[in-house]
Amino acid sequence: MSPNGQTPAEKVTASNNIYTAVLALAFCVVLVTAAFVAIKCISQYGTIFKIP
Amino acid sequence: MSTLTKVLIVLLAFASIFLCGIVVTYVANADSYKHKLDNINAEKESLNKKVKELTKQLNEKSEQLKQTEEKLNSEIASLNTSKNDLRIKLENSEREKTSLLAKIESLTAATKDFYQTNEKQAEVLKNTLAELTKLQKEQAENRVELDKVLAELNAKQNVIASLEEEKRSLMEQKAQLQDKIDMMLNPGRRTAKTSSLIPKKTTTEPAPAAVANTDGPIQGTITAVDLKNSMASVSVGKNDGVKEGMKLHVVRGDDFICDINIIDVEAGEAIGVLELVQKQPQVGDVVTNNL
């Protein structure tokens, strides 16, 4: 049972898909940035977390 | 979805995008410190190699410098010794120079004196030659007079000889007459010695022509010269009045050559020793006993 007394069969749907797209874009940008930084660290220092 | 949630979603998305952009820009523009470190290490190694090479070169140069310094020091020492030797030689040469200059001055003074005396002797010689020519003229005149006197003397001696012959013949005639008178007065008596009354022939004849002429001048020439033994033979001998020990003078033109002391005399030549040799005598030089 739900605390609000609603039935569990109802699906949660986004009120507006544009905000989802914005969040996905932001996530992708962060992910690409992390990958770029990792690639740079590997290419320059040969490792990601250790200090050479 | 509330409005606040929507605003937060949009702000979060933009903020994340903005920060990601900043991070990407920074990382893209960040320097590669590892690469720089590698380059710096490589430069450091190369510089270390260069430093080692330069230190080696420096050591070699310093060794060469030491060797050259030692050589130069040895050369300087040898040059100093040679310098001292040369200085001593220079001092000696300066002393010799001063002594030679003094000798030259004395010699110049002696030369001046010699020239002065030579000029005086030349004047004296001129005067003597003038007197000699005068004396020779007088001698020639005296010789002419002497020849005249000798001719007169010979003529007078011939007259005396003829008179003595006449006297002798007269004495012989007188003796014969005396003998005849004695024979007539004393016929038994033998004839006396009449030959004692006859005067013997006196030796009043003139001297033969071969007698040496010792008073007149002797003049001849040199016929042979032996310079090794300082001997010479001349073309005059006993017939010309040359005697042993006589000194003959050798002249060539107006120059006096030497004297010849006669040691051996023959009829037509004589041999003597050279004395007071001024020039080398030659065959044909004039020999005389009177200059």
Side-chain angles (χ1 to χ4, degrees):
Chain A
M1 286 175 57
S2 65
N4 293 329
Q6 296 176 348
T7 59
E10 292 180 355
K11 288 184 181 178
V12 178
T13 58
S15 60
N16 197 350
N17 288 329
I18 191 168
Y19 296 106
T20 306
V22 169
L23 284 174
L25 179 61
F27 180 73
C28 289
V29 167
V30 170
L31 191 63
V32 168
T33 301
F36 178 72
V37 170
I39 289 167
K40 273 284 184 182
C41 287
I42 289 169
S43 65
Q44 291 186 359
Y45 300 108
T47 181
I48 297 174
F49 301 107
K50 290 182 181 178
I51 295 171
Chain B
M1 181 181 295
S2 61
T3 304
L4 183 60
T5 304
K6 291 177 182 177
V7 170
L8 287 174
I9 288 168
V10 170
L11 287 176
L12 181 62
F14 280 108
S16 61
I17 290 168
F18 180 71
L19 288 173
C20 287
I22 289 171
V23 168
V24 167
T25 303
Y26 177 73
V27 169
N29 292 324
D31 293 328
S32 177
Y33 290 105
K34 185 182 178 183
H35 187 65
K36 284 186 177 180
L37 180 64
D38 291 336
N39 291 331
I40 289 168
N41 286 328
E43 289 180 358
K44 182 183 175 184
E45 289 178 356
S46 65
L47 289 172
N48 285 328
K49 288 180 180 177
K50 287 183 180 178
V51 167
K52 287 180 180 177
E53 291 177 356
L54 290 173
T55 50
K56 284 182 181 178
Q57 291 179 358
L58 181 63
N59 291 326
E60 291 176 354
K61 293 288 183 182
S62 62
E63 289 179 356
Q64 290 179 357
L65 182 64
K66 286 181 181 177
Q67 292 176 356
T68 52
E69 188 178 359
E70 291 176 353
K71 287 181 180 177
L72 290 173
N73 286 326
S74 61
E75 289 180 356
I76 287 168
S78 63
L79 288 172
N80 283 324
T81 54
S82 61
K83 179 185 171 184
N84 292 325
D85 294 335
L86 290 173
R87 186 177 294 168
I88 292 167
K89 287 181 180 177
L90 179 64
E91 291 176 354
N92 293 327
S93 61
E94 286 180 352
R95 289 174 187 167
E96 291 179 355
K97 181 185 172 184
T98 52
S99 63
L100 288 173
L101 286 173
K103 285 182 180 177
I104 287 169
E105 289 178 355
S106 63
L107 287 174
T108 50
T111 307
K112 287 180 181 177
D113 294 336
F114 175 72
Y115 280 127
Q116 291 176 356
T117 53
N118 196 9
E119 289 175 355
K120 291 179 181 177
Q121 287 181 353
E123 291 178 356
V124 172
L125 182 62
K126 285 181 181 177
N127 295 327
T128 307
L129 286 173
E131 292 179 357
L132 179 65
T133 52
K134 289 180 181 178
L135 291 173
Q136 284 178 348
K137 288 179 181 177
E138 291 177 357
Q139 188 180 10
E141 293 173 354
N142 291 328
R143 190 178 299 162
V144 172
E145 291 179 357
L146 180 64
D147 292 337
K148 290 179 181 177
V149 171
L150 286 174
E152 291 177 357
L153 181 63
N154 287 329
K156 288 180 179 178
Q157 282 179 347
N158 291 327
V159 171
I160 291 169
S162 61
L163 291 174
E164 284 184 350
E165 284 291 330
E166 289 178 358
K167 181 182 176 183
R168 186 183 174 191
S169 62
L170 291 172
M171 290 296 288
E172 286 178 352
Q173 290 177 0
K174 181 183 176 183
Q176 289 175 358
L177 291 173
Q178 188 68 35
D179 287 338
K180 288 178 179 177
I181 292 168
D182 289 339
M183 287 289 288
M184 291 173 68
L185 293 176
N186 296 317
R189 192 178 175 184
R190 290 189 67 182
T191 57
K193 293 180 181 178
T194 58
S195 61
S196 61
L197 297 173
I198 301 170
K200 292 183 180 178
K201 188 176 182 180
T202 56
T203 58
T204 58
E205 296 178 354
V211 173
N213 182 15
T214 57
D215 295 333
I218 298 169
Q219 190 163 6
T221 57
I222 291 178
T223 56
V225 178
D226 185 6
L227 293 174
K228 288 183 179 178
N229 298 317
S230 296
M231 304 280 285
S233 65
V234 296
S235 63
V236 289
K238 277 183 181 176
N239 295 335
D240 301 306
V242 179
K243 296 177 182 177
E244 289 185 2
M246 181 181 283
K247 279 193 177 180
L248 300 177
H249 310 295
V250 181
V251 294
R252 187 185 303 152
D254 293 333
D255 296 333
F256 173 76
I257 304 299
C258 64
D259 282 344
I260 297 177
N261 189 8
I262 301 299
I263 58 173
D264 187 15
V265 183
E266 294 181 2
E269 64 175 358
I271 297 171
V273 180
L274 301 176
E275 293 179 348
L276 300 174
V277 177
Q278 302 297 319
K279 292 181 181 178
Q280 184 175 347
Q282 296 175 354
V283 175
D285 288 340
V286 177
V287 176
T288 182
N289 64 344
N290 189 9
L291 288 174

